[in-house]
Structure formats: structure tokens, C-alpha cells
């Protein structure tokens, strides 16, 4: 069974976890087709050479070189569908080989039977639309070769019935291959869209659209590493909508949800491009502020606080004002993520205790 493992390893040569499933599948097919094509073309070239058909042997050997060039030009860890050269070389090489087999007849005029491998390969590598166009052109070219008066373009001869059935069966193969490739691509696109949607939902809050805790944990780890690498400050700001329970109790949870959505949008318009805000839970939001000191974070907190206090929520009475309290902490090199968030939470608690609608910076006196 070692040969099976070796063949599998050879087929997966160039596959990467950084590429999607369809790209890795294309690489596997390219590897397998290259191996099969090289063996096949070499056997055809040797057979032609033994029959003293030097020009045909050289042409077929040239096809073998094109197949190897197609595989060699496949760039590692790059989207296969964006690599035009490998697909073009593969399709050109197999098209040349099929043309040679039609013109020469191959062994006992069985050469044209190999053309049926062309439609699925062309549609797979060139895509549905381009593959159909190429196959349409090849059908015209093949028809010219086969039905040219007195077989002047052929090195052999076929009966009219054989030619007609060959073209019709080839067109039928194209149609079935096109339907299959279209269906396969549509199914793959649907699965990709569902995966992207599920990944988004797993990392974002469904109500506000903001990143959730899971997303924030990964983001914080990257930002901390970057801040330490460049010796930059990183501020954490935790905020909470004041008396939000009263909003839910008095106006209903639908109204509370609308307040959360509008608040999230207001925050997004107030922060900088490098900042990140996530829904921490309930009516709490957590800010990650790269390259930001405590004073800068306080300015941003007051900006958001001021905008929110002046904002009128259409779903609430005109005299109903929504405010927020903010707690800020600095994520220093000796401070862990959990410790920094805990410090920001203590500063937020202090802001609530002092009367709400204000920004408080954590200090050591709050530790007790």
C-alpha cells in the first residue's frame, strides 16, 4: 500500500491550509492530471518514434513539456483560480494533443476517442463560461479537420458516420460537463457564503453587529503583541448605559434593543479607524484603543459620552435622555488582559458611584 500513500502525497503536493477547499482540489487534480498526462504523452511519443513518425513524436513530446511547465508555474499558497498561466498551459497542451490524435488517428484510428477527457478538464480549469467558449471553438476546429473535403487536413481517414457520431457525442459530453461544472460551482459558492456567514455570526453580536467577546479575545492578543513590539501604549475603556434596566422595564425590550443598536452606531461614528469597540455583554461596550494613553482615552470617552447625551432616540419620549458611564485602564507590559479589563470595570463602577454620565480613569486607590 506504499504506492497508494506515495500517490496521495504526490497529488497533494502544493496544497495548503491557507487555501480554500476548491483551490486545494484544483491543485490535486492538476498534480494527478500532470502525472497521468506525462505518462500518456510519453507513451504516445515513444510509439510514434518507433513507427518512424519523427514530427509527431516531437509534437507529442512538446505537449509533455507543456504539461510539466503548467505544473511548475503553479504558485504555492496562491488562489488557483487567479493563476491564469497554469490553467492556460494545461488546456493548450491537452488541446494540442487531442488535435494530433484526430489528425493522425492514433493507433488503429482510436486516437479521437481520447477527446472526451477534454470537456470536463477545460470546464474545471477554465471555469464554466470560458470553458464553454473554448469547447465551442474546439468543436468548430474539430469539425473543420474532420469534414474538410477529401480528408486533406487528416493523415488518416474516417467514415462519415464515425465523424458525425464523434462530433455529436463530443457535444453531448460538453453539455453534460457544463451542467455538472455549473452545479458544482454553484454549490461550492453557496457553501462558501454559508461558511462566511457562520464565521461572521460566530464573531459578531447579532443585535448590534459589533464584534463579540470571542472576536475581541483574538484581537486583543494581536494588539498587545504589536504594542509590546513597538513599545506603544494600549488603553482599555469599558462603558455602560446608565439605568438601562429602567428603559427595558418602562418602554419594553424592543425599545431597549433599538437603543442598543443606535448607541452602537453612534459609537462607531465617534471612534477612530484604529480603534475597536465590541459588545461586552448586555448594555456594556468595551473599547480597545491602540497607540492611546490615558489622557487621549479620556478625551475620546468624553466625546462619546457627550454625543450620546445630546442624541435623541426616536423610539423614546423627547424628554428621555440616555447617558453612559466610562472606566479607563492602561494595559501595561506587566498587566494581563483580564487585569486591565478588571481595572477598567472598577473605574466604571467608580463612575457609577459618583453619579453616572462621566469618565473615570483607574488608579491604584481603586484596587482595594
Amino acid at each position: 500500500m506504499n504506492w497508494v500513500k506515495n500517490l496521495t502525497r504526490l497529488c497533494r503536493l502544493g496544497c495548503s491550509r491557507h487555501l480554500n477547499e476548491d483551490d486545494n482540489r484544483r491543485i490535486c487534480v492538476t498534480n494527478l492530471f500532470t502525472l497521468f498526462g506525462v505518462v500518456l504523452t510519453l507513451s504516445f511519443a515513444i510509439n510514434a518514434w518507433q513507427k518512424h513518425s519523427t514530427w509527431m513524436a516531437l509534437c507529442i513530446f512538446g505537449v509533455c513539456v507543456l504539461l510539466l511547465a503548467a505544473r511548475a508555474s503553479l504558485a504555492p499558497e496562491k488562489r488557483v483560480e487567479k493563476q491564469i498561466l497554469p490553467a492556460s498551459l494545461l488546456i493548450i497542451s491537452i488541446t494540442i494533443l487531442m488535435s494530433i490524435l484526430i489528425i493522425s488517428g492514433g493507433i488503429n484510428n482510436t486516437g479521437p476517442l481520447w477527446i472526451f477527457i477534454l470537456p470536463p478538464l477545460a470546464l474545471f480549469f477554465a471555469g464554466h463560461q470560458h470553458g464553454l467558449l473554448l469547447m465551442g471553438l474546439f468543436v468548430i476546429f474539430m469539425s473543420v479537420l474532420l469534414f474538410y473535403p477529401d480528408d486533406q487536413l487528416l493523415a488518416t481517414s474516417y467514415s462519415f458516420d464515425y465523424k458525425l457520431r464523434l462530433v455529436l457525442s463530443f457535444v453531448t459530453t460538453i453539455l453534460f460537463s457544463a451542467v455538472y461544472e455549473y452545479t458544482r460551482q454553484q454549490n461550492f459558492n453557496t457553501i462558501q457564503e454559508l461558511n462566511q456567514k457562520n464565521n461572521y455570526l460566530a464573531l459578531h453580536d447579532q443585535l448590534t453587529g459589533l464584534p463579540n467577546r470571542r472576536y475581541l479575545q483574538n484581537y486583543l492578543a494581536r494588539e498587545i503583541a504589536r504594542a509590546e513590539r513597538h513599545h506603544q501604549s494600549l488603553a482599555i475603556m469599558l462603558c455602560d448605559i446608565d439605568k438601562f434596566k429602567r428603559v427595558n422595564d418602562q418602554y419594553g425590550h424592543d425599545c431597549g434593543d433599538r437603543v442598543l443598536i443606535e448607541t452602537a452606531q453612534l459609537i462607531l461614528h465617534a471612534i477612530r479607524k484604529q480603534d475597536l469597540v465590541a459588545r461586552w455583554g448586555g448594555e456594556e461596550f468595551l473599547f480597545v484603543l491602540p497607540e492611546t494613553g490615558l489622557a487621549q482615552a479620556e478625551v475620546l470617552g468624553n466625546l462619546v459620552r457627550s454625543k450620546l447625551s445630546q442624541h435623541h432616540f426616536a423610539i423614546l419620549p423627547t424628554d428621555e435622555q440616555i447617558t453612559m458611564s466610562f472606566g479607563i485602564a492602561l494595559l501595561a507590559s506587566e498587566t494581563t488582559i483580564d487585569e486591565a479589563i478588571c481595572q477598567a470595570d472598577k473605574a466604571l463602577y467608580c463612575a457609577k458611584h459618583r453619579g453616572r454620565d462621566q469618565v473615570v480613569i483607574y488608579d491604584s486607590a481603586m484596587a482595594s
Side-chain angles (χ1 to χ4, degrees), residues 12 58 117 202 209 234 236 247 324 361:
R12 294 194 59 80
L58 291 175
I117 68 173
L234 179 66
I236 300 293
V247 175
M324 293 185 83
I361 297 175

Side-chain angles (χ1 to χ4, degrees), residues 286-307:
L286 184 67
F287 294 69
V288 181
L289 310 174
E291 304 177 31
T292 306
L294 292 174
Q296 292 172 296
E298 184 179 19
V299 170
L300 179 62
N302 277 312
L303 174 64
V304 176
R305 183 191 61 78
S306 175
K307 284 181 176 293

